Amino acid sequence: MSIYFIIWVLVSGFLLGFWFWTMYVLIKQKQAWKTYADKRKMRYHSSAMLETPSISGVVDGYSVTMFASEHGELDARSQRRLTAIEVMLQTNLPFAVGAASGGMVHVVEALDLRQEFKPPTKGWDDTYALRTSDLPLAQSYLNEGRLSKLVNLMKTDRAWIIFLFLGDQGVLRLDTPMPIDNPKEIDVLVKQMINVARALELGKGEGKDLIRQTQNQDKAGGVLEIDEDLLNDDIGFELEDEEADLSALDDKKATKADAKSAAASKDVQPSKSTTKTKK
């Protein structure tokens, strides 16, 4: 028996085994997602047999979506497929903020949020990222209660977390390499995320307080904008006026000097003629 034939059998057996295992996991995942969608009265979508399905709908008043996500590897040569769960928040913030763990940190770093800070919350890891467009407002909003719940979610095994508020939309998202092929496990993760989402929502009157702080900051740090062309024109007019005043002043001085010279000449001339006469 040829060694190449043995290698071919081993490689073929490995590939077939991997394919059957993949099919088993995918079928089990689809069944679990379909069961959860039916239980929660959500929409279930499955476009192809070998594709991961997706579900969407409302759970406990929150819009929830579950789907397969793709993330580029560091070498940019391949894609990594993960399972993602998104919970849409219902609050509008007057500033932008983003917090992330694991492979989602680079997403926050790529945003135009230039103010970063490390909260003193217990359990906060140095690998996490927290950036905002307004540091005072973010520190006021992300109190200890909100941050502790967010950190607990970030401690989920084999999961990347990202929390974003951009414009008028907020989202809390979890990505994991696990297929999540158990309806009870899906339910636990979704409920945990909704619990964190509720904590991140603004309380009664809190939104107005944040807007008021923003307005106060604008007034305190406001800069008066002046049209440079208009400013230059005004300066030009002032300089012309000053030059005209200086010219008038010089003319007056010259006139006075001429008058004094003329008077001096008159006084000197008679004295000369008198002297001549006497001689």
Side-chain angles (χ1 to χ4, degrees):
M1 185 178 294
S2 174
I3 185 66
Y4 296 105
F5 178 76
I6 296 175
I7 294 175
W8 178 81
V9 171
L10 292 176
V11 172
S12 299
F14 173 78
L15 293 176
L16 283 173
F18 180 77
W19 185 82
F20 280 116
W21 173 255
T22 302
M23 289 299 298
Y24 168 76
V25 171
L26 183 59
I27 293 173
K28 189 177 180 181
Q29 181 190 53
K30 285 189 172 186
Q31 291 176 344
W33 289 30
K34 184 70 167 61
T35 301
Y36 179 77
D38 292 340
K39 179 181 178 181
R40 289 293 184 177
K41 301 187 183 304
M42 301 175 71
R43 295 176 294 275
Y44 175 85
H45 308 277
S46 181
S47 57
M49 180 179 179
L50 298 180
E51 291 291 332
T52 301
S54 65
I55 56 178
S56 60
V58 178
V59 179
D60 296 339
Y62 282 88
S63 176
V64 178
T65 308
M66 193 169 174
F67 56 95
S69 63
E70 293 186 355
H71 295 262
E73 297 289 355
L74 294 177
D75 58 6
R77 297 178 182 176
S78 59
Q79 296 286 331
R80 185 180 184 185
R81 291 181 65 85
L82 303 178
T83 301
I85 303 176
E86 282 188 355
V87 177
M88 306 305 295
L89 278 73
Q90 303 167 355
T91 295
N92 296 332
L93 289 181
F95 62 96
V97 63
S101 67
M104 288 297 189
V105 170
H106 75 278
V107 177
V108 173
E109 290 177 340
L111 297 174
D112 189 22
L113 302 176
R114 302 182 181 180
Q115 301 184 55
E116 182 172 358
F117 71 101
K118 179 182 177 181
T121 304
K122 183 179 179 181
W124 184 266
D125 195 281
D126 291 338
T127 62
Y128 300 162
L130 179 52
R131 292 191 176 187
T132 180
S133 62
D134 194 309
L135 186 57
L137 289 184
Q139 291 175 329
S140 176
Y141 164 71
L142 291 172
N143 53 38
E144 185 63 26
R146 288 180 173 130
L147 282 172
S148 61
K149 288 183 178 295
L150 186 59
V151 168
N152 287 337
L153 183 62
M154 288 179 169
K155 297 295 183 183
T156 304
D157 292 337
R158 305 187 66 183
W160 300 344
I161 305 298
I162 186 168
F163 159 60
L164 277 178
F165 256 118
L166 297 175
D168 59 350
Q169 187 63 67
V171 62
L172 181 64
R173 173 167 165 168
L174 178 148
D175 284 66
T176 176
M178 304 300 293
I180 316 181
D181 53 8
N182 188 321
K184 292 183 179 180
E185 185 179 356
I186 298 174
D187 198 47
V188 169
L189 282 176
V190 171
K191 284 184 177 180
Q192 184 181 4
M193 293 181 68
I194 290 176
N195 185 36
V196 177
R198 284 200 177 105
L200 294 172
E201 301 286 4
L202 292 177
K204 186 177 181 180
E206 190 176 3
K208 294 181 179 179
D209 292 338
L210 289 175
I211 293 175
R212 193 178 299 112
Q213 290 182 41
T214 304
Q215 293 172 346
N216 292 337
Q217 288 180 10
D218 292 340
K219 291 179 181 178
V223 177
L224 180 62
E225 296 183 0
I226 302 175
D227 189 339
E228 293 183 359
D229 294 333
L230 181 60
L231 188 59
N232 291 334
D233 289 342
D234 289 342
I235 291 177
F237 288 135
E238 290 175 2
L239 289 176
E240 289 175 2
D241 292 340
E242 289 178 2
E243 290 176 357
D245 293 340
L246 290 174
S247 297
L249 182 60
D250 291 338
D251 292 341
K252 288 180 181 179
K253 288 182 179 180
T255 303
K256 289 181 179 179
D258 293 341
K260 287 181 180 180
S261 298
S265 299
K266 289 180 180 180
D267 292 338
V268 172
Q269 188 66 31
S271 61
K272 286 183 179 180
S273 56
T274 304
T275 305
K276 288 180 180 179
T277 305
K278 287 181 178 181
K279 287 181 180 180

